[in-house]
Amino acid sequence: MMKNIKKVSGLALIVALAVTSSCQQNAKKTSTAETADTSKKSKYLSQPLISEIYTADPSAHVFNGKIYIYPSHDIDAGIPENDNGDHFAMNDYHILSMDSINGKVNDHGVALSVKDIPWAGRQLWAPDAAFKNGTYYLYFPVKDKQDVFRIGVATAKDPAGPFKAEPKPIEGSYSIDPAVFTDADGSTYMYFGGIWGGQLQRWNNGKYDANGSKTDSQKENEPALTAKVAKLSKDMLTFDGAVKDVVILDQNGKPLLTKDHDRRFFEGAWMHKYNGKYYFTYSTGDTHFLASAIGDSPYGPFKYQGTFMNPVQGWTTHHSIIEVKGKWYIFYHDTQLSDKTHLRNVKVTELTHNADGTIALIEPMKK
């Protein structure tokens, strides 16, 4: 009887030791995985605001004391990557909100879908929003049924939507990336345009050339193509006057040239006002910087000030800048969640204006 007890006890001990060893090994694996994940997160200045869906191009605003974010909604449509951006095949918008910076982020669901825009064909790219006359306005670029980018507008009584699109695009609008700025006197302006897939280079004298350049003007030593600006009408649905160039000058007062890829405009315009000056900020595209230029009028001209954000992980970089309770913040995106250039995630970090009026450099990836 005692021998049997000893045998059982020995077997139990072996089992117990095996279980303990297995648990220790699993604990090591878990610990290693957690360390790797923590290490990856630590590379980035900020973390994604939302991970349930992919989002990009965040246009942020404060409405009714709450922060609303109007991003693109990235999806994987299975389209091969190319310089035209066909792999950015977004088909609806989700609006996000939060009560405070770093607060809980709410996804309000689909606010507008391409199928609900009468004139739209495909590719709902980076939008922006505005409020006036008791109405919220969502401005969006989308290719029409002839595959030409136009800018449309949709309206709602709630900043989170849903939005109802106007039956036609804004007359005189073209290209991508509308950014809407309302000045202290109540006047509202739209900045828009983007080269390469944004098609800005295919417009000359207000006409679209389907066989035009796929990149830029291809005139390396001439002034670069640049963003456009137009004043919006009082009803916020049309342009009030002519579309003008956003002229960006170097420190010698000369326009930036096409060959100056580190400084010239590519896409992703934004406007904010600080200490009475107008800050036109934008992406340099294929060199992946965010740059700033400062002027005395919403129409410019704007003097180039330098890079204020170094490249993010991923090909594209697109931002917005807002003031919240006396502090300034930049909303931007990268590809931390997916490592794929067309599946991005939005982020936020604090932005600082230097004493000389320039914007302090932001490093989105920690060294």
Side-chain angles (χ1 to χ4, degrees):
M1 186 71 175
M2 290 297 292
K3 289 181 180 179
N4 289 339
I5 291 173
K6 286 181 180 179
K7 286 181 180 179
V8 172
S9 298
L11 180 61
L13 178 61
I14 292 170
V15 171
L17 289 171
V19 170
T20 301
S21 175
S22 175
C23 288
Q24 287 175 342
Q25 288 178 359
N26 288 337
K28 287 180 181 178
K29 289 179 181 178
T30 302
S31 178
T32 302
E34 288 175 349
T35 301
D37 186 55
T38 301
S39 176
K40 182 180 179 183
K41 285 183 177 181
S42 69
K43 293 194 313 181
Y44 303 95
L45 176 63
S46 301
Q47 294 303 308
L49 292 181
I50 187 170
S51 59
E52 290 78 10
I53 60 173
Y54 291 112
T55 51
D57 313 318
S59 292
H61 294 273
V62 177
F63 294 134
N64 303 323
K66 182 181 289 189
I67 302 163
Y68 286 87
I69 307 163
Y70 300 83
S72 303
H73 176 203
D74 285 348
I75 59 170
D76 195 345
I79 298 173
E81 182 176 339
N82 60 39
D83 287 344
N84 290 330
D86 289 322
H87 49 300
F88 296 107
M90 302 83 100
N91 56 32
D92 63 27
Y93 295 120
H94 282 232
I95 295 170
L96 312 177
S97 72
M98 51 187 180
D99 291 329
S100 61
I101 297 294
N102 298 322
K104 179 185 175 183
V105 178
N106 299 302
D107 178 355
H108 295 275
V110 176
L112 181 66
S113 175
V114 68
K115 64 182 176 60
D116 297 321
I117 303 168
W119 54 274
R122 66 188 182 109
Q123 293 182 286
L124 277 175
W125 282 13
D128 194 16
F131 174 75
K132 190 177 281 189
N133 311 322
T135 299
Y136 295 91
Y137 300 85
L138 182 68
Y139 298 93
F140 56 88
V142 66
K143 285 180 177 175
D144 63 18
K145 299 183 189 303
Q146 287 72 48
D147 232 28
V148 178
F149 268 117
R150 309 274 184 174
I151 296 173
V153 57
T155 58
K157 291 300 180 181
D158 188 299
F163 285 83
K164 181 177 175 56
E166 292 293 302
K168 295 181 180 180
I170 296 173
E171 184 70 27
S173 72
Y174 49 91
S175 197
I176 61 170
D177 293 354
V180 180
F181 166 75
T182 299
D183 208 349
D185 65 357
S187 299
T188 302
Y189 305 84
M190 179 188 290
Y191 302 83
F192 62 94
I195 59 175
W196 290 31
Q199 301 180 339
L200 185 61
Q201 73 279 357
R202 294 189 175 185
W203 287 86
N204 188 23
N205 299 320
K207 294 183 179 180
Y208 179 76
D209 179 5
N211 298 312
S213 170
K214 291 185 177 181
T215 56
D216 51 35
S217 69
Q218 300 186 335
K219 298 174 181 177
E220 293 289 279
N221 294 305
E222 293 188 9
L225 293 170
T226 190
K228 306 297 181 182
V229 57
K231 190 175 183 179
L232 286 170
S233 59
K234 290 182 179 180
D235 66 6
M236 301 287 279
L237 300 177
T238 61
F239 290 160
D240 181 12
V243 173
K244 301 180 180 182
D245 283 342
V246 176
V247 177
I248 305 172
L249 306 174
D250 64 18
Q251 294 303 314
N252 296 316
K254 302 293 185 182
L256 299 182
L257 303 181
T258 300
K259 64 183 179 182
D260 192 353
H261 288 215
D262 282 345
R263 300 193 298 173
R264 61 88 173 91
F265 171 83
F266 188 102
E267 64 184 3
W270 188 261
M271 173 61 66
H272 76 278
K273 195 173 182 180
Y274 177 77
N275 280 352
K277 297 290 186 179
Y278 297 85
Y279 285 68
F280 179 75
T281 52
Y282 58 95
S283 169
T284 63
D286 57 331
T287 50
H288 320 294
F289 298 115
L290 289 181
S292 66
I294 300 176
D296 296 317
S297 160
Y299 286 118
F302 301 93
K303 183 172 285 189
Y304 178 83
Q305 299 298 314
T307 294
F308 70 93
M309 180 177 268
N310 276 334
V312 298
Q313 177 181 290
W315 200 96
T316 67
T317 186
H318 191 119
H319 73 295
S320 59
I321 297 170
I322 62 170
E323 184 179 15
V324 181
K325 296 182 178 178
K327 290 186 177 182
W328 289 88
Y329 296 90
I330 179 171
F331 290 74
Y332 63 103
H333 68 237
D334 65 17
T335 60
Q336 178 180 342
L337 293 178
S338 72
D339 288 329
K340 295 180 179 180
T341 191
H342 65 294
L343 298 175
R344 298 158 292 180
N345 44 257
V346 297
K347 298 184 169 185
V348 62
T349 194
E350 192 168 347
L351 176 141
T352 302
H353 296 86
N354 294 320
D356 64 0
T358 59
I359 303 174
L361 181 64
I362 298 168
E363 293 282 3
M365 303 286 288
K366 295 181 180 179
K367 294 181 179 179

